[in-house]
Amino acid sequence: MKPSIPKGTRDFSPVEMAKRNYIFDTIRSVYALYGFQQIETPAMENLSTLMGKYGEEGDKLLFKILNSGDFLRGVSDDDIHQKSTNQLAAQLCEKGLRYDLTVPFARYVVQHREELTLPFRRYQIQPVWRADRPQKGRYREFYQCDADVVGSDSLLNEVELMQIVTEVFRRFGIRVCIKINNRKILTGIAEMLGAADKIVDITVAIDKLDKIGLDNVNAELKEDGLTDEQIAKLQPIIQLSGTNNEKMATMREVLKDSAIGLKGVDEVEYVLNTYGKTNQPTDACSLELDLTLARGLNYYTGCIFEVKALDVQIGSITGGGRYDNLTGIFGMPGISGVGISFGADRIFDVLNQLDLYPASVVSATRLFFVNFGEAEEAYCLPIIAAARQAGIPCEIYPESVKMKKQMQYANAKQIPFVVLVGETEMQQGKLTLKNMETGEQSLVSPEELLEKVF
Amino acid sequence: MKPSIPKGTRDFSPVEMAKRNYIFDTIRSVYALYGFQQIETPAMENLSTLMGKYGEEGDKLLFKILNSGDFLRGVSDDDIHQKSTNQLAAQLCEKGLRYDLTVPFARYVVQHREELTLPFRRYQIQPVWRADRPQKGRYREFYQCDADVVGSDSLLNEVELMQIVTEVFRRFGIRVCIKINNRKILTGIAEMLGAADKIVDITVAIDKLDKIGLDNVNAELKEDGLTDEQIAKLQPIIQLSGTNNEKMATMREVLKDSAIGLKGVDEVEYVLNTYGKTNQPTDACSLELDLTLARGLNYYTGCIFEVKALDVQIGSITGGGRYDNLTGIFGMPGISGVGISFGADRIFDVLNQLDLYPASVVSATRLFFVNFGEAEEAYCLPIIAAARQAGIPCEIYPESVKMKKQMQYANAKQIPFVVLVGETEMQQGKLTLKNMETGEQSLVSPEELLEKVF
């Protein structure tokens, strides 16, 4: 019987890993250009750190680690029979696997507050675990790839995060639209209508404008319990269109009586204008004010953003926003922050669908030496060493088996150049180099070899 | 109350991460030069994959993950009261955290056998977890950094692993001695003495020669139950000295009646000779036959090796060897392999003690822009964008707070260059660049800036 892995988890093959490393290395380099520093936190956190941070549903989705040794010590029969599954689990388990990178980061900031110089720009690329029901595209172990700036209210941080997003997707060659909104604008709209509880219903209904048309949107809003007067007031927002500047002008008019709403518009305007000083909107990347964007309302407090790929039908591939009081849950109030999270799994799929991986990503070894026997091997070894010294990834087949088998190996690894050395080559102090793509063969000296395959 | 992390686990700060990334990236680049490909396996494996692979003690050290949902379903009161802790744990938990990278790799090879082209050269850098009692230098979560070639008996693989070790420590600047031995030699010695069960005692005693002298070693062997005749036969081995070639000549004589022992000497000779074709022994790295090396006898079957740092008192910093039948435990016999494992935590300590980290590792951001206000910020932003485009990691303080605070930030991050822009600079289209190490200031154009800090 073949061994297997737990459902919802994955092995990553060499090709998948090469592609994932390309994604993570690209993001890492851009983060570094902006002065973000990497941290790592342990896979296991105390359950007291994790519990209660993701809602009741989240608590159930935490993977809990059975205490070592006699885990039943102190657990009575009554505990077993009368306590809820969750309560009993808390008795049997002190630790759990991290569910995201945000709560461990908040814990990190509080625990290490004395060592940190604020603003702290950190990034973190690590797996997280959720006991979710696995389904297509949803895994029980997956990587998150987060960058946050904490300890600064400046909107320049938002701008730099937008620049990072722009640069990362430029490097990938993925055309994107960055959607931006501001939680304060949504609060302003609710305030203006006197309907704070309806803001989610409103954004959901507005979002359907393209699909179902204005009349149906208005009908839906009525069903949601909005009065005719409220719906009338909403018309300029539902039908909001034009450039970002035109949209902002409309919003200023609509929200003229809401201080918080106007502040939201101010913030978006600053971010758009400042971003515009260094980044012109192009076909490959534009920044668009989108009032229907309403992600994680309970968490975010200022600007929010999401990135949509233009050429692939897929959910948002990056998102983030500003939040207040990240560390309040651990007794350190007043730390505001703003962050983004790249969706590595979706980016992986988009790059695959658009076939955007550079060729060098998939075929790592450039040069393969066929092994024809002891003498030939001895002849090749110093040449191989020199090639590696020059930075060229090389392999020699470790045994002098049939050439067909060796070539199959080179093909399976998609190695672009193959070296053949027999009697003739050894007598002349040369090598035969075969370009596997063109089939072309040439007799070269060891020095010429390095030039040809570099 | 400050939040904390489970004992035996660690947070890695930005500086620690930068150093660790330097270690892993160096090892990764060298692995890649030799055609090794990275894989990753899930943190959680089925307990059926892990249990029974590390001995009874190992089973206890596995972190087990409580089943999701109603984990008590199917568990009777009798189970709870009568079963051993381990049996009950197996009922409550289907999954566990990986304990090393070897068993998951064996599982991977068997599970994916149809997709793999042998020989398969894989490397893997991932954390492992052990419920060991934490102590200095021993953690419950730590990274392993393994490379293996499976599906090839060729000793050329051993040679290439020695080359990898040499190149990795050359890049680190750590002077090392690579100790090599062969399990078959040890078997041969036991065969010659007719004392197969005594081989560990013998190597332990021999290893003390320098410390306690020949007479005491012989006394210890006698205590271990060896006869005078056996001890007499052992004398050439205990007093083995000279160059590798001299040692091998002695061993050939001693082991002349043991076929397997002579095979072991042949193997070591091939590895030493072939390695010597491309690598001359230097002060920085030598390869030495050491008969007292006896790591993991039950697992390894051919060459074994260990790396000792010459300038720091610390245990072995890398080790490995050849094993037969890695995948036999999962029903796929006959696959031989050879592997090495770099001890990242110890290498981290050695690099720290010898102060060998390149300066660029610790200070990532090269250029810091002091923020003097809105106009200055607007003036700087396109210059910052250009510097980043040129690959220079830059930061601007996100708010125009007091200069002292901004400089403290730049100092804390050890940023080597600071840019100051005020009225004067803006009027002239220039910037003031300060070298933080020398204190030198100069007025430069944006173009000159890039040249100066590159």
Side-chain angles (χ1 to χ4, degrees):
Chain A
M1 208 185 85
K2 257 197 189 179
S4 63
I5 49 178
K7 62 179 180 195
T9 69
R10 290 168 288 177
D11 284 325
F12 294 108
S13 72
V15 170
E16 286 163 340
M17 273 309 292
K19 291 177 172 181
R20 289 166 63 83
N21 282 339
Y22 167 69
I23 293 172
F24 291 135
D25 289 346
T26 302
I27 296 171
R28 273 169 67 171
S29 334
V30 178
Y31 281 158
L33 273 184
Y34 285 77
F36 283 75
Q37 296 177 306
Q38 190 171 11
I39 68 162
E40 279 191 6
T41 61
M44 302 186 288
E45 294 275 352
N46 291 321
L47 273 179
S48 57
T49 300
L50 302 176
M51 296 286 281
K53 308 305 189 296
Y54 308 104
E56 211 173 309
E57 198 49 38
D59 282 352
K60 286 188 196 150
L61 299 185
L62 293 171
F63 280 112
K64 298 171 187 78
I65 292 160
L66 193 67
N67 292 339
S68 305
D70 183 9
F71 53 85
L72 279 179
R73 191 170 38 200
V75 180
S76 67
D77 282 3
D78 282 358
D79 290 339
I80 291 168
H81 293 292
Q82 286 163 24
K83 284 193 173 169
S84 73
T85 311
N86 254 351
Q87 286 172 317
L88 186 56
Q91 247 185 307
L92 300 176
C93 305
E94 277 173 8
K95 296 180 285 288
L97 295 179
R98 71 172 159 256
Y99 180 88
D100 69 2
L101 301 179
T102 306
V103 167
F105 175 52
R107 192 266 310 146
Y108 180 96
V109 170
V110 176
Q111 189 175 333
H112 301 277
R113 65 226 271 181
E114 271 104 31
E115 308 146 38
L116 295 181
T117 311
L118 298 183
F120 181 43
R121 333 186 108 202
R122 88 84 170 79
Y123 75 91
Q124 194 169 351
I125 302 178
Q126 291 192 276
V128 302
W129 295 270
R130 296 182 184 178
D132 247 324
R133 187 187 302 272
Q135 56 183 55
K136 190 176 175 303
R138 193 206 279 162
Y139 302 101
R140 293 185 145 190
E141 173 181 68
F142 58 97
Y143 272 74
Q144 289 191 335
C145 187
D146 289 13
D148 290 81
V149 189
V150 294
S152 163
D153 294 330
S154 165
L155 293 165
L156 197 50
N157 298 303
E158 273 84 338
V159 175
E160 293 205 329
L161 290 177
M162 297 302 93
Q163 291 176 334
I164 286 174
V165 167
T166 307
E167 178 62 13
V168 164
F169 289 109
R170 188 190 69 74
R171 292 186 181 197
F172 286 141
I174 298 175
R175 302 195 317 127
V176 294
C177 175
I178 307 174
K179 311 246 182 189
I180 182 170
N181 194 8
N182 194 297
R183 171 74 175 96
K184 297 190 177 82
I185 294 180
L186 297 176
T187 307
I189 294 171
E191 200 175 87
M192 166 198 83
L193 298 176
D197 57 323
K198 291 286 191 310
I199 193 66
V200 174
D201 293 337
I202 293 170
T203 56
V204 167
I206 296 176
D207 194 31
K208 294 184 184 162
L209 181 65
D210 286 345
K211 275 191 222 135
I212 63 175
L214 182 60
D215 289 349
N216 289 318
V217 168
N218 286 336
E220 190 167 318
L221 288 170
K222 190 146 192 167
E223 264 174 52
D224 289 337
L226 270 73
T227 64
D228 289 341
E229 193 195 1
Q230 287 172 325
I231 293 173
K233 273 192 185 172
L234 266 179
Q235 292 313 298
I237 295 170
I238 299 173
Q239 300 180 58
L240 193 71
S241 68
T243 64
N244 288 330
N245 282 336
E246 286 162 357
K247 285 180 186 172
M248 284 188 290
T250 308
M251 291 310 300
R252 280 196 193 286
E253 181 56 33
V254 173
L255 294 171
K256 61 180 183 293
D257 296 327
S258 164
I260 190 162
L262 289 176
K263 180 138 202 305
V265 179
D266 284 344
E267 290 184 5
V268 168
E269 187 170 31
Y270 173 86
V271 172
L272 291 173
N273 284 347
T274 311
Y275 174 87
K277 277 181 190 143
T278 51
N279 297 65
Q280 297 310 311
T282 65
D283 264 9
C285 182
S286 58
L287 194 50
E288 184 189 315
L289 173 59
D290 180 354
L291 286 188
T292 67
L293 179 63
R295 53 183 289 132
L297 276 177
N298 297 323
Y299 180 58
Y300 295 115
T301 52
C303 282
I304 47 184
F305 19 79
E306 246 178 43
V307 180
K308 295 282 291 178
L310 297 182
D311 301 313
V312 172
Q313 284 285 359
I314 200 166
S316 92
I317 54 179
T318 292
R322 177 169 289 277
Y323 42 83
D324 286 338
N325 205 15
L326 170 72
T327 53
I329 38 172
F330 296 116
M332 185 183 173
I335 303 281
S336 169
V338 57
I340 45 170
S341 186
F342 284 93
D345 284 312
R346 284 189 178 163
I347 292 172
F348 182 91
D349 290 342
V350 171
L351 290 171
N352 265 335
Q353 281 187 52
L354 301 177
D355 196 16
L356 289 174
Y357 290 102
S360 61
V361 166
V362 183
S363 68
T365 300
R366 275 195 80 64
L367 195 50
F368 176 77
F369 287 70
V370 177
N371 191 331
F372 283 110
E374 233 174 280
E376 292 84 353
E377 182 186 300
Y379 177 87
C380 290
L381 287 180
I383 300 169
I384 295 169
R388 285 178 177 146
Q389 212 58 51
I392 299 166
C394 298
E395 289 182 62
I396 178 167
Y397 202 86
E399 282 135 302
S400 58
V401 295
K402 283 203 189 105
M403 178 154 163
K404 192 181 161 196
K405 196 174 171 191
Q406 299 192 40
M407 293 306 279
Q408 275 169 352
Y409 177 88
N411 279 325
K413 281 188 105 168
Q414 299 186 46
I415 302 175
F417 294 99
V418 168
V419 169
L420 305 149
V421 166
E423 278 293 328
T424 329
E425 284 86 355
M426 289 200 291
Q427 275 164 15
Q428 300 179 58
K430 302 235 164 160
L431 317 107
T432 295
L433 176 67
K434 181 171 178 174
N435 180 322
M436 295 294 278
E437 206 183 326
T438 63
E440 192 197 343
Q441 292 204 10
S442 51
L443 193 70
V444 298
S445 72
E447 296 73 33
E448 287 164 342
L449 174 73
L450 299 192
E451 285 162 30
K452 288 237 175 187
V453 302
F454 217 7
Chain B
M1 208 185 82
K2 257 199 189 179
S4 64
I5 50 179
K7 64 179 178 196
T9 68
R10 292 168 287 178
D11 283 326
F12 294 107
S13 72
V15 170
E16 286 162 340
M17 272 310 291
K19 291 177 172 180
R20 289 167 63 82
N21 282 339
Y22 167 69
I23 294 171
F24 291 133
D25 289 346
T26 302
I27 296 172
R28 272 168 66 168
S29 330
V30 178
Y31 281 158
L33 271 186
Y34 284 77
F36 283 76
Q37 297 178 305
Q38 190 171 11
I39 67 162
E40 279 191 7
T41 61
M44 302 187 287
E45 293 274 353
N46 292 320
L47 273 179
S48 57
T49 300
L50 303 176
M51 295 286 279
K53 309 303 189 297
Y54 308 103
E56 212 174 308
E57 199 49 38
D59 282 353
K60 286 188 197 149
L61 300 185
L62 293 171
F63 280 112
K64 300 170 186 76
I65 292 160
L66 192 67
N67 292 339
S68 305
D70 183 10
F71 53 85
L72 279 179
R73 191 167 42 198
V75 180
S76 68
D77 281 2
D78 282 357
D79 290 339
I80 290 169
H81 293 294
Q82 287 162 22
K83 286 194 172 167
S84 73
T85 310
N86 254 353
Q87 286 173 317
L88 186 57
Q91 245 184 315
L92 300 177
C93 305
E94 279 173 6
K95 296 180 285 286
L97 294 180
R98 70 174 159 255
Y99 180 88
D100 69 3
L101 302 179
T102 306
V103 167
F105 175 51
R107 192 267 310 146
Y108 179 96
V109 170
V110 177
Q111 189 176 335
H112 300 276
R113 65 226 269 179
E114 273 104 30
E115 307 147 37
L116 295 181
T117 311
L118 299 182
F120 181 42
R121 335 187 107 201
R122 88 86 170 78
Y123 75 92
Q124 195 168 350
I125 302 177
Q126 291 192 276
V128 302
W129 295 270
R130 297 182 184 178
D132 247 324
R133 188 187 302 272
Q135 56 184 54
K136 188 174 178 304
R138 193 205 282 161
Y139 303 100
R140 294 185 144 191
E141 174 182 67
F142 59 97
Y143 273 75
Q144 289 192 336
C145 188
D146 289 12
D148 290 82
V149 189
V150 295
S152 163
D153 295 329
S154 166
L155 292 164
L156 196 50
N157 298 302
E158 274 83 340
V159 175
E160 293 205 327
L161 291 177
M162 297 303 91
Q163 292 177 335
I164 286 175
V165 167
T166 307
E167 177 63 12
V168 164
F169 288 110
R170 188 190 69 74
R171 293 188 182 196
F172 287 142
I174 298 175
R175 302 195 320 127
V176 294
C177 175
I178 307 175
K179 312 246 181 190
I180 182 169
N181 195 6
N182 194 298
R183 170 73 175 98
K184 297 189 178 84
I185 294 179
L186 298 176
T187 307
I189 294 172
E191 202 174 86
M192 170 199 79
L193 297 178
D197 56 322
K198 292 288 193 308
I199 192 66
V200 174
D201 292 336
I202 294 170
T203 57
V204 167
I206 296 178
D207 195 29
K208 295 184 184 161
L209 183 66
D210 286 347
K211 276 193 223 135
I212 63 176
L214 183 59
D215 289 347
N216 289 318
V217 168
N218 286 336
E220 189 166 321
L221 289 169
K222 192 149 189 162
E223 263 174 55
D224 290 337
L226 269 73
T227 65
D228 289 340
E229 194 195 357
Q230 287 172 326
I231 294 172
K233 274 192 185 173
L234 266 178
Q235 292 312 301
I237 295 171
I238 299 174
Q239 300 180 57
L240 194 70
S241 67
T243 64
N244 288 331
N245 283 336
E246 287 162 357
K247 287 181 187 171
M248 283 188 289
T250 308
M251 291 310 298
R252 277 194 196 288
E253 181 55 31
V254 173
L255 295 171
K256 61 179 183 294
D257 297 326
S258 166
I260 190 162
L262 289 176
K263 183 142 201 306
V265 179
D266 285 345
E267 290 185 4
V268 168
E269 187 171 33
Y270 173 87
V271 171
L272 290 172
N273 284 348
T274 312
Y275 174 87
K277 279 183 189 139
T278 51
N279 296 66
Q280 297 309 313
T282 65
D283 263 8
C285 182
S286 57
L287 194 51
E288 184 189 316
L289 173 59
D290 180 352
L291 287 189
T292 67
L293 179 63
R295 53 184 288 130
L297 275 178
N298 297 322
Y299 178 59
Y300 293 115
T301 53
C303 283
I304 47 184
F305 19 79
E306 247 179 42
V307 180
K308 296 283 292 180
L310 296 182
D311 302 312
V312 173
Q313 283 286 359
I314 199 165
S316 93
I317 54 179
T318 292
R322 177 168 290 276
Y323 43 82
D324 285 337
N325 205 14
L326 170 72
T327 52
I329 37 171
F330 297 115
M332 186 184 174
I335 302 283
S336 169
V338 56
I340 45 170
S341 186
F342 285 93
D345 285 311
R346 286 193 178 161
I347 292 172
F348 182 91
D349 289 342
V350 171
L351 290 171
N352 265 336
Q353 282 186 51
L354 301 178
D355 196 15
L356 288 174
Y357 289 103
S360 60
V361 166
V362 183
S363 68
T365 300
R366 275 197 78 67
L367 195 52
F368 176 77
F369 287 72
V370 177
N371 191 332
F372 284 112
E374 232 173 281
E376 291 82 356
E377 179 185 302
Y379 176 87
C380 289
L381 287 181
I383 300 168
I384 295 169
R388 286 177 178 148
Q389 211 60 49
I392 299 165
C394 297
E395 289 182 61
I396 177 167
Y397 203 87
E399 283 136 301
S400 58
V401 296
K402 282 203 188 104
M403 179 152 161
K404 191 180 164 200
K405 195 173 174 192
Q406 300 191 40
M407 292 307 276
Q408 275 169 351
Y409 176 87
N411 279 326
K413 281 187 105 168
Q414 299 185 46
I415 302 175
F417 294 99
V418 167
V419 169
L420 305 149
V421 166
E423 279 293 329
T424 329
E425 285 85 357
M426 289 200 291
Q427 274 163 13
Q428 301 178 56
K430 301 235 165 161
L431 318 105
T432 294
L433 176 67
K434 180 170 181 176
N435 181 322
M436 294 294 278
E437 206 183 325
T438 63
E440 189 198 345
Q441 291 204 9
S442 51
L443 194 70
V444 298
S445 71
E447 296 74 31
E448 288 163 340
L449 173 74
L450 299 193
E451 286 162 32
K452 289 238 176 189
V453 302
F454 218 5

